[in-house]
Amino acid sequence: MTLQHPVRRAPRTFGVEEEVILLEPGSLAPVDVADEVIAELEHSDADVHWITHEYLRAQVEFSSPVLADADAADRVVREFRRAVAGAVARRGLLAASSGTAYGAGRSATGAGERYARFAQELGAIHPDHRIQGLHVHVAVWSREEGVAVMRALRPWLAPLLALTANSPCFGGIDTGFASWRTIVGRRFTTASVPPAFADAADYDRRVRALVGLGATLDRSSIFWMMRLAERYPTVELRVFDAQLTADETVGAALLARALVESAAAGDLPHAAAAAHAEHLDAAVWHAARHGLDDVLVDPVTASIAPARHVIERMLDAVRPALDASGDRDRVEALVARLRAEGNGAARQRAALAEGVPALERLLRTSFAPPAAA
C-alpha cells in the first residue's frame, strides 16, 4: 500500500489494515487455517489481492489500497469480509473481527524468522498475544507534519479507544474490560501513548535508540497507539480494536482522517495537563476498562466528564473536517448508533449474557451479514 499525497485542500487519502481471527464454532477458539484460506483466495476470482498472513496462523490481515472516500473504503472492506467469510465457512469455521477471541486455545506462530524472534522475545507473554487491531493510515505532507499531528492527537487517543473498544472476552471469560487487547498490549516493549516528540529528527533519533531493545526488533516493531509509518507518508493510528462491523471499520477510519486533518490545521484543542504522560496513561487504562460506560478525561479541560460528553466534544472539534470531506452524516450516524446500542464490547458482553451461541451469532453476522434477498 503506497499512500500518495493528495492534492492540497482535497481530503487526505487514507488506508485501513484490518486483522481477523478464524474461529471454531461452539468453542470460539482460534483455528490455524490462515494458510489454506489465503491460498484459496489467491486462486479465486475475488479481488482480494491485499490479504496477507499475520503473526498467528489463525489470523489474516487485509491491507487496503489507497482510499480517497468513504464509498471506496466501504466497498473494499465488505469485499474482503465476504471473501474471507466464504472461504472460512467452506471449512466449517467462522471469521470474526474482534480485538480478542472468546475461546481458549493457542495458535502457532506464522512462518518467518522475524515472527519466531518476536515470539521468543515475548516469553510467557506470547500465549496472550492473540489480539487483533484496526490500523488506520492517514496521509501527511511531511514527517514534520506527522509529528505535529501526533502531539495534538495524544490526549484524544483515550476517547477514541472508548468509542471503538471491542475486546471484552479472553480465554473463555469476560475480562471486565471493554478493551482487553489494550491491556495485553501494554506489556510490550513500546506501548500505549507515544511520547511528545519535538520534531521529526527527535522522533527518528529516539526510535533508532529503541531498536534492539526487547521486542523492538526493528522500526516496524514500535507498538505505540500511533506512529509514523516507515514505508508510507502517513500517520498510523493503531489505537483501535478490530471492529465488529464494516460500518464501524469505515467510520473509525473516517473519524481518524478528520482528527488528523483537524490536528494539522491546529483545530484540535487540549489542555496542557491533559498531555501529561501520567494523565494520558491513566486515561487510556480507564478507557480500556470502561469504554463508553463511565467517565473519561476531557482533553479540552483535563477534567473528568461523562464519556458521551467527551465524545461529543471530539465530534465538535472535527465537524469542519468532516464537512469538508463529506463524511459528517456517516460518522455522526455511527456515533449515534454506538450511543444507542453500545460499542462492540458492550454488544459482545450483552450477547455473552445470553450464552456462547448468542455471542457466536453476533460475531458471525456482524463480520459479513447475509446479502439481502
Side-chain angles (χ1 to χ4, degrees):
M1 178 175 65
T2 302
L3 295 187
Q4 299 171 345
H5 292 312
V7 176
R8 195 169 293 275
R9 295 191 181 90
R12 294 169 188 260
T13 54
F14 64 102
V16 297
E17 297 173 350
E18 189 172 49
E19 297 168 348
V20 171
I21 186 74
L22 311 178
L23 303 174
E24 177 185 58
S27 70
L28 298 181
V31 184
D32 289 358
V33 294
D35 291 348
E36 297 176 28
V37 168
I38 292 171
E40 175 184 327
L41 295 178
E42 285 177 342
H43 293 89
S44 73
D45 294 330
D47 185 14
V48 288
H49 304 298
W50 301 89
I51 295 179
T52 60
H53 298 83
E54 242 301 322
Y55 177 64
L56 298 176
R57 294 183 184 270
Q59 296 171 323
V60 297
E61 181 180 53
F62 168 65
S63 298
S64 80
V66 179
L67 302 169
D69 57 59
D71 289 343
D74 190 77
R75 181 173 61 256
V76 297
V77 169
R78 290 182 190 278
E79 186 171 5
F80 156 69
R81 287 181 173 226
R82 282 193 297 268
V84 170
V88 171
R90 286 188 282 277
R91 291 162 174 78
L93 306 171
L94 71 143
S97 188
S98 173
T100 52
Y102 170 80
R106 296 191 177 188
S107 176
T109 305
E113 180 186 357
R114 185 172 181 273
Y115 282 159
R117 289 175 57 204
F118 188 72
Q120 182 179 28
E121 192 64 37
L122 288 181
I125 299 173
H126 169 68
D128 289 347
H129 190 54
R130 290 181 281 121
I131 56 177
Q132 294 74 233
L134 166 67
H135 304 160
V136 179
H137 289 258
V138 182
V140 290
W141 305 118
S142 67
R143 289 175 72 83
E144 292 295 348
E145 182 184 62
V147 168
V149 164
M150 288 175 60
R151 283 199 305 270
L153 282 176
R154 291 168 74 241
W156 294 95
L157 293 176
L160 267 183
L161 173 61
L163 187 67
T164 58
N166 183 39
S167 52
C169 305
F170 189 78
I173 65 168
D174 182 336
T175 66
F177 281 76
S179 178
W180 187 246
R181 166 184 167 271
T182 297
I183 301 305
V184 172
R186 286 166 73 93
R187 293 184 288 177
F188 299 158
T189 316
T190 53
S192 196
V193 181
F197 299 103
D199 51 30
D202 184 40
Y203 178 94
D204 290 335
R205 180 172 56 253
R206 293 166 70 175
V207 167
R208 280 197 302 270
L210 289 167
V211 173
L213 296 177
T216 309
L217 307 181
D218 48 39
R219 292 172 68 101
S220 296
S221 303
I222 295 291
F223 287 104
W224 292 317
M225 288 180 158
M226 62 180 168
R227 66 186 186 187
L228 296 183
E230 293 303 318
R231 291 186 291 167
Y232 320 122
T234 66
V235 168
E236 181 185 1
L237 278 77
R238 305 166 57 85
V239 61
F240 309 107
D241 287 347
Q243 296 296 286
L244 276 179
T245 67
D247 280 346
E248 286 163 290
T249 291
V250 174
L254 298 177
L255 180 55
R257 176 167 68 167
L259 282 162
V260 170
E261 186 64 63
S262 301
D267 295 333
L268 200 58
H270 69 259
H276 291 167
E278 70 280 8
H279 208 157
L280 290 168
D281 201 48
V284 163
W285 194 99
H286 189 89
R289 175 65 174 85
H290 298 286
L292 294 174
D293 295 333
D294 197 65
V295 296
L296 292 170
V297 174
D298 184 339
V300 176
T301 64
S303 61
I304 301 299
R308 282 159 174 76
H309 172 85
V310 177
I311 299 303
E312 185 59 36
R313 177 90 81 176
M314 180 165 60
L315 285 178
D316 286 343
V318 301
R319 277 193 177 97
L322 291 172
D323 285 336
S325 63
D327 297 328
R328 178 173 174 176
D329 289 347
R330 184 165 190 148
V331 171
E332 288 188 342
L334 176 61
V335 172
R337 177 191 160 196
L338 296 179
R339 285 172 171 162
E341 301 178 9
N343 58 16
R347 281 149 40 221
Q348 284 202 54
R349 185 165 283 129
L352 185 60
E354 299 178 18
V356 175
L359 177 59
E360 180 179 324
R361 285 194 299 273
L362 174 69
L363 294 173
R364 189 189 299 272
T365 58
S366 296
F367 183 75

